[in-house]
Amino acid sequence: MGLYLARRLLAMLGVVWAMSVLIFGIIHILPGNVAYAILGEYATPQAVAILEDRLGLHDPLPLQYWHWFSALLHGDLGRSLVMDRPAGPLIFEALGHSAILAGSSFLLVAVFGILLGVHAATHRGTAVDRALTLMQLGFIAIPDFFWAILLILIFAAWLHWLPATGYAPLDGGDLLAWLSHLVLPVFVLSIGLIAHVSRLTRSSMLEALESRYVLAARAKGLPARLVLGRHALPNALLPTITILAIDAGLLIGGVVVVETVFAYPGLGRLLIFAIDHHDLPLLQAGMMVVTTIYALANLIADLGYALLDPRIRVGAHA
Amino acid sequence: MAEAAAPILAVEGLSVSYATPYARLFALDDVSLAIPRGEVLGLVGESGSGKSTVVLAALGLLGEAASVSARRAEFDGRDLLADAAALRGRRIGVVFQDPAAALNPALSIGLQVAEPMLTHQRLPRTEAYARAAALLGELGIPRVAEIMQAYPHQLSGGMKQRAMIAAALAGEPELLLLDEPTTALDVTIEAQILDLLEGLRASRGLSMLLVSHNLGIVGRLCDRLTILYAGRTVETGPTAAVLAAPRHPYTRGLLGALPRPEARARRLLPIPGALPDLRSPDPGCNFRPRCPLAVAACAEPQAMLPAGPARRVRCHRHALVADLPLLLDPVAPSRPSAAAPLVDVEGLTRGFGGPTLLRRRRTRVHAVDGMSLTIHPGEIVGLVGESGCGKSTLARLILRLLPADGGRLAFDGRPVPERPDLAFRRRAQIVLQNPDGSLNPRRTVEAILRRPLAHFGLAQGAAAGREVARLLELVRLPEAYRSRYPHQLSGGEKQRVGIARALATRPDFLVCDEAVSALDVSVQAAVLNLLQDLRDTLGVAYLFISHDIGVIAHIADTIVVMYRGHAMERGPADAVLHAPHHPYTEALLSAGAARQMRLVDTAPSGAGCRFAGACPRKLGAICDIEPPPWREASAGHRILCHIPVEQLARPGLRPGPAGARRPQTP
């Protein structure tokens, strides 16, 4: 178990480091002058010279990378060019907003994805199962921005029940306003993923239900509740955990579309802003944060495996 | 006898059918059986006979797709069809075939054994676990406290099956249903499990239903037999009487098809044809298309007729069955070959695993450790050993499908390089165990057979078409089969295609890696006969690999016994099959010797004999410390053992105590 964890942790650190090289490298390997790319092609030579100086672009690439990476390790995420403020606080504030969005969506996805999946598997072939299947396929096939626009039209423009866009800070004390701004984006973010996770849980649950060990558990005369919860579910959840880990990463890094449509001030929108305004240091720092969160989510999934699967948790010999 | 009048399980006229998309599938058709209290009934049949359906029906676990009916289905006077859910796990225990699949990989052994006590008897946790530990100990499991906390993947196959039996006994059942309980296990482990069951029957007064395809094991444990064919009972009676003088042509056929060491010079008598279509059951005798005695009257519905004391048989011609031949004429003994060896292997070694960056202390496990072997042209060398002994690895090493760590390999007098040329590949071919996995399901038989012809540039166009016809004729498949896909063939037919494919290149040497192990006995006999004929007509040499010493004894000229990567005994088949034996060979050949083998779950560490840890005839410390010498028992017959040949010639059986015998812990 300890060895397994050490290996997973080492692998995670390796991935994060490799991504840092990639994130740094892609921007610098692009043809053309980085300063011109930031300032635009009509920039004056003086402005370019000043920027190159500030970003240390005259240094050799490995040295530039080292400066950037060691600063990262010391917790210095660099400075946003456009806003002329440290990137760290900007990113973490946006990340906080995104985390609320992603976190509540993730909770919904995990709970409803697994519950609906298990329900469909145990009621295979019934009308409920068929209806769920149809809905799942629909939600997987139709992209989230379509739902976003449709829901804004219905609940904001037509019924006036919910605000169309924006964010209300909680420190104002207005819990209702805060919540009302979250409902639509959370719904849009989770619906497709719930469909996806429940599909997967259904099929792995069906496989577990048809296994010999579940037959053996039934033959022991165990009540259905134990057969399902103790014998089938732990085995059926293994593939679900993989998908949930990927989804957690997607939710943090992939909220761009939803945040844009709902004008929600999260990390996704901050990254779009950095791209639009050629704010390279902000973009790099933001991407590193997303990468690290993604890698952490996978590490947690590996932990989950170990908890559910004794073949990982304990070695091969008694 | 009063007890006999009230059987613990009585089933009359049980029928089970499934609705499938196109037609109704009749899995069981009017099946009757009865188990007197305290007795063991053997339910025998090949795949598709419906024997597992009987077990699931008795447990009420057939699922909603099945429609079940019976004139009577009673357990101790209670209606099984209504009350199965209240009886299973409590008064009826079950052990399924493959313990690796039937134990839950995510739960500890302790929980899985204690579970019925927690649920049914509502025992407190500590007491249930204490009882589970005691039960595991009773079943001969060593280091119980440790095993209780272990998970299934940490246990050997034999230990897993003991744990399964413990879980089945946890509810204190009166009836134990055993569905192929030893089929997934090695023969030596099988002997120990059967012993254990025999002991449990005596000590706990259990009644049992032993479901098996294996006539050998039911003979050891059962009082009575019921033979099932394609969903119908065809014969029932006392075990000894049924096995000695079967009255149904099918039972007779099963016995004739069974390869046995003691009748190795005789040709097997396979049952022709295949299982009937269960979607349209024959109102008459459903065995009649395969039966040598069939006459027009067999098309009439057949009843179970009395045939001797306590025997019934579903055949109106049962009086004639006794006259059917059980075995065909003796086969001509193979010509001894004086020619130079075709395959010459010396000291071949291959390991797996080993130290890695993070696991420096991990040692490389030697799957094959210094194996030497010679195979002459036209010779059949049988390689026998249990799962994990390295026989399949050896096969791959000899074909250079896997690089060797060390050793020499020569073919037809020339050393075979690490990456052999096309000529070697053409001359040395392989037939694999599972034809379902080794035939491409998207290709027709013709395409499968043309592939090697094209690859080796042997024939094209019309010539290739003629070659396909020749190959189909060789393996006795009809010409029309060339346009079929693998799923349209039966198991035996698929394996014939696998053999035809291996023969397409006109090889001199064929490795048959468990080539008949996945087949039913009646089909296996036909394939074994075919392979023997092909050797006689084509002069092909075989390395025939099997875990079943009966099959090896039947087909091989020379036998090599392998244990943990190394040969233990080698020699002409007749010599190896008769004393003196290596103690391991003795265990493979005799259940009596096998039950005295010790349970080992660790690899030997020292330089001594690999078998020392499990050996029932172990001399002492010398076996652990010193590598045993090769002893010459007779010309060409050599045994790797510290025990002198004269002593090995005497049977090593110690008189064991009656009833359950606990295996010694190492």
Side-chain angles (χ1 to χ4, degrees):
Chain A
M1 176 76 177
L3 190 67
Y4 168 77
L5 274 188
R7 285 169 68 171
R8 301 318 307 164
L9 194 68
L10 215 66
M12 185 210 116
L13 291 177
V15 165
V16 171
W17 174 77
M19 280 305 295
S20 79
V21 173
L22 215 63
I23 288 169
F24 180 84
I26 280 175
I27 286 160
H28 286 269
I29 283 162
L30 289 176
N33 185 307
V34 175
Y36 273 112
I38 293 170
L39 295 173
E41 50 188 308
Y42 302 113
T44 60
Q46 291 92 328
V48 168
I50 290 168
L51 184 68
E52 285 187 333
D53 230 33
R54 238 182 86 188
L55 295 180
L57 293 174
H58 298 297
D59 295 332
L61 267 187
L63 192 65
Q64 286 184 44
Y65 170 77
W66 172 244
H67 285 316
W68 177 69
F69 191 65
S70 65
L72 273 186
L73 289 183
H74 288 94
D76 177 7
L77 293 183
R79 229 179 141 73
S80 161
L81 287 177
V82 178
M83 287 180 265
D84 198 25
R85 282 163 58 191
L90 282 173
I91 289 174
F92 286 112
E93 194 197 340
L95 181 64
H97 297 153
S98 290
I100 293 170
L101 203 60
S104 30
S105 302
F106 182 77
L107 218 63
L108 287 182
V109 171
V111 172
F112 283 99
I114 292 171
L115 284 182
L116 289 176
V118 170
H119 186 84
T122 49
H123 295 77
R124 183 187 197 177
T126 59
V128 178
D129 178 33
R130 280 180 212 171
L132 276 174
T133 299
L134 204 68
M135 279 163 60
Q136 284 158 348
L137 293 178
F139 284 124
I140 291 169
I142 298 170
D144 48 7
F145 61 80
F146 171 83
W147 296 115
I149 293 165
L150 189 73
L151 290 174
I152 288 175
L153 279 177
I154 296 174
F155 290 102
W158 185 36
L159 293 172
H160 298 290
W161 287 359
L162 293 165
T165 58
Y167 173 77
L170 195 55
D171 45 350
D174 192 351
L175 189 69
L176 215 63
W178 179 75
L179 267 179
S180 67
H181 281 92
L182 280 176
V183 173
L184 289 184
V186 166
F187 182 82
V188 170
L189 260 183
S190 37
I191 191 73
L193 294 178
I194 288 177
H196 197 194
V197 168
S198 62
R199 275 308 294 154
L200 188 94
T201 307
R202 177 184 182 270
S203 62
S204 58
M205 191 70 187
L206 279 179
E207 198 181 308
L209 288 175
E210 277 159 20
S211 70
R212 284 254 142 197
Y213 55 79
V214 164
L215 183 66
R218 290 201 173 117
K220 280 183 190 171
L222 299 183
R225 168 181 54 83
L226 279 183
V227 172
L228 215 63
R230 189 189 279 165
H231 284 265
L233 199 59
N235 292 291
L237 281 186
L238 287 174
T240 306
I241 283 188
T242 318
I243 292 298
L244 281 178
I246 294 172
D247 285 352
L250 280 181
L251 279 170
I252 285 293
V255 291
V256 177
V257 171
V258 169
E259 289 185 355
T260 308
V261 174
F262 289 101
Y264 186 91
L267 191 56
R269 260 187 87 207
L270 189 69
L271 289 181
I272 294 278
F273 172 86
I275 292 168
D276 282 348
H277 295 83
H278 305 283
D279 194 341
L280 275 192
L282 184 62
L283 184 62
Q284 286 175 331
M287 282 167 71
M288 273 316 290
V289 169
V290 171
T291 302
T292 310
I293 290 173
Y294 205 104
L296 274 174
N298 275 296
L299 186 69
I300 292 170
D302 288 334
L303 270 173
Y305 275 151
L307 284 181
L308 285 179
D309 192 344
R311 279 164 291 193
I312 295 173
R313 189 164 71 240
V314 291
H317 288 287
Chain B
M1 285 193 294
E3 296 97 300
I8 188 154
L9 183 77
V11 173
E12 276 169 37
L14 176 67
S15 295
V16 174
S17 65
Y18 295 94
T20 66
Y22 300 106
R24 188 153 275 277
L25 190 85
F26 296 87
L28 292 181
D29 185 9
D30 192 21
V31 167
S32 301
L33 49 90
I35 307 177
R37 205 172 272 282
E39 286 205 5
V40 181
L41 175 72
L43 187 62
V44 181
E46 295 183 290
S47 48
S49 64
K51 55 193 190 302
S52 294
T53 309
V54 173
V55 171
L56 293 180
L59 293 167
L61 287 176
L62 277 174
E64 285 154 19
S67 54
V68 186
S69 68
R71 284 194 301 278
R72 178 174 172 222
E74 280 176 6
F75 173 84
D76 197 20
R78 289 178 67 175
D79 182 8
L80 253 187
L81 297 188
D83 290 345
L87 293 170
R88 61 176 183 241
R90 295 173 173 87
R91 300 185 63 191
I92 306 178
V94 202
V95 177
F96 288 109
Q97 172 169 357
D98 182 3
L103 284 171
N104 193 323
L107 303 178
S108 70
I109 296 293
L111 174 62
Q112 296 193 57
V113 176
E115 213 171 15
M117 304 189 240
L118 291 167
T119 313
H120 301 322
Q121 293 143 21
R122 307 224 168 264
L123 292 183
R125 208 179 145 79
T126 45
E127 199 187 335
Y129 273 70
R131 283 204 197 175
L135 196 52
L136 286 171
E138 187 190 332
L139 298 189
I141 284 196
R143 296 175 291 131
V144 167
E146 212 175 310
I147 297 296
M148 286 282 288
Q149 289 177 15
Y151 290 89
H153 72 278
Q154 297 170 291
L155 270 58
S156 68
M159 297 263 263
K160 277 190 214 135
Q161 195 59 301
R162 282 167 207 264
M164 264 320 278
I165 294 172
L169 293 176
E172 306 277 336
E174 294 138 72
L175 173 67
L176 205 53
L177 307 180
L178 303 152
D179 190 358
E180 301 265 9
T182 60
T183 302
L185 305 176
D186 283 325
V187 278
T188 53
I189 307 294
E190 172 176 280
Q192 295 171 358
I193 295 286
L194 291 178
D195 236 32
L196 181 69
L197 292 170
E198 180 81 60
L200 286 171
R201 172 199 182 179
S203 63
R204 295 178 167 245
L206 280 171
S207 316
M208 299 185 191
L209 177 69
L210 176 64
V211 173
S212 182
H213 69 285
N214 187 334
L215 285 169
I217 79 158
V218 292
R220 270 189 248 166
L221 199 59
C222 303
D223 304 299
R224 298 178 58 79
L225 293 184
T226 293
I227 316 285
L228 212 56
Y229 177 75
R232 289 185 194 157
T233 38
V234 293
E235 180 163 5
T236 180
T239 304
V242 171
L243 292 183
R247 288 297 174 81
H248 194 280
Y250 175 66
T251 320
R252 185 97 185 162
L254 276 183
L255 280 170
L258 191 69
R260 274 168 295 191
E262 62 274 15
R264 67 173 235 98
R266 314 295 292 270
R267 196 174 162 81
L268 296 174
L269 184 63
I271 305 175
L275 211 66
D277 188 352
L278 293 172
R279 286 171 297 187
S280 49
D282 194 326
C285 171
N286 58 1
F287 186 64
R288 103 191 118 100
R290 306 174 73 181
C291 183
L293 295 177
V295 291
C298 297
E300 298 299 314
Q302 302 290 317
M304 290 291 276
L305 306 170
R311 295 185 67 175
R312 296 179 85 79
V313 57
R314 198 185 291 274
C315 180
H316 66 107
R317 309 195 80 199
H318 65 83
L320 297 171
V321 170
D323 300 332
L324 282 177
L326 199 54
L327 285 167
L328 292 183
D329 303 331
V331 283
S334 62
R335 311 141 291 185
S337 173
L342 180 67
V343 180
D344 192 0
V345 172
E346 204 183 298
L348 220 48
T349 297
R350 166 75 194 198
F352 292 102
T356 60
L357 199 63
L358 281 170
R359 301 178 170 198
R360 285 162 201 274
R361 275 176 303 168
R362 197 163 67 161
T363 49
R364 195 164 168 84
V365 178
H366 288 283
V368 173
D369 196 359
M371 275 295 285
S372 302
L373 199 68
T374 53
I375 303 170
H376 291 87
E379 186 185 24
I380 302 182
V381 173
L383 182 66
V384 65
E386 295 175 299
S387 56
C389 76
K391 50 194 194 302
S392 285
T393 306
L394 180 66
R396 280 155 181 71
L397 291 177
I398 290 177
L399 291 177
R400 287 280 197 230
L401 295 172
L402 200 67
D405 292 346
R408 249 178 5 86
L409 169 65
F411 187 78
D412 204 5
R414 273 192 298 274
V416 183
E418 196 68 34
R419 298 174 135 269
D421 54 4
L422 216 55
F424 172 77
R425 291 265 175 256
R426 186 192 69 72
R427 297 182 63 188
Q429 286 284 320
I430 186 165
V431 181
L432 294 157
Q433 170 171 10
N434 186 351
D436 284 317
S438 57
L439 298 179
N440 189 336
R442 294 168 174 276
R443 284 171 179 266
T444 59
V445 169
E446 167 140 24
I448 288 168
L449 295 181
R450 273 174 178 260
R451 179 81 192 120
L453 297 173
H455 180 71
F456 290 96
L458 299 174
Q460 283 169 333
R466 283 194 299 278
E467 271 297 294
V468 170
R470 178 186 76 93
L471 291 166
L472 287 175
E473 200 188 320
L474 268 180
V475 297
R476 294 180 210 133
L477 284 176
E479 173 83 25
Y481 274 39
R482 51 167 76 217
S483 57
R484 292 210 185 177
Y485 287 91
H487 74 266
Q488 296 170 300
L489 308 176
S490 71
E493 289 168 344
K494 274 183 240 179
Q495 197 56 298
R496 284 164 195 268
V497 174
I499 293 167
R501 176 175 60 182
L503 291 174
T505 62
R506 300 178 186 250
D508 308 305
F509 173 54
L510 212 52
V511 172
C512 299
D513 188 1
E514 300 275 10
V516 297
S517 306
L519 306 176
D520 275 320
V521 180
S522 62
V523 178
Q524 172 184 300
V527 173
L528 282 176
N529 283 350
L530 171 71
L531 285 167
Q532 226 158 19
D533 293 346
L534 289 171
R535 190 271 300 266
D536 293 341
T537 52
L538 305 176
V540 186
Y542 298 131
L543 176 63
F544 199 96
I545 296 174
S546 179
H547 66 281
D548 184 344
I549 199 161
V551 167
I552 291 288
H554 180 76
I555 198 165
D557 305 316
T558 305
I559 294 180
V560 178
V561 180
M562 197 169 170
Y563 184 81
R564 291 210 163 150
H566 206 273
M568 293 283 124
E569 180 170 1
R570 63 175 79 235
D574 283 317
V576 171
L577 293 171
H578 294 101
H581 296 297
H582 186 279
Y584 178 59
T585 315
E586 194 179 7
L588 289 179
L589 281 167
S590 117
R595 68 180 53 137
Q596 298 197 354
M597 258 178 75
R598 296 154 200 243
L599 269 181
V600 274
D601 49 3
T602 48
S605 48
C609 176
R610 276 151 237 266
F611 189 57
C615 186
R617 300 178 72 161
K618 187 177 171 182
L619 292 173
I622 185 173
C623 297
D624 292 321
I625 300 160
E626 251 181 72
W630 277 109
R631 298 185 183 273
E632 190 95 18
S634 59
H637 178 205
R638 305 204 301 158
I639 299 172
L640 189 72
C641 192
H642 283 294
I643 306 172
V645 172
E646 307 76 59
Q647 231 167 304
L648 285 174
R650 290 194 289 274
L653 268 181
R654 290 177 306 230
R661 188 196 157 81
R662 286 204 208 167
Q664 300 93 329
T665 56

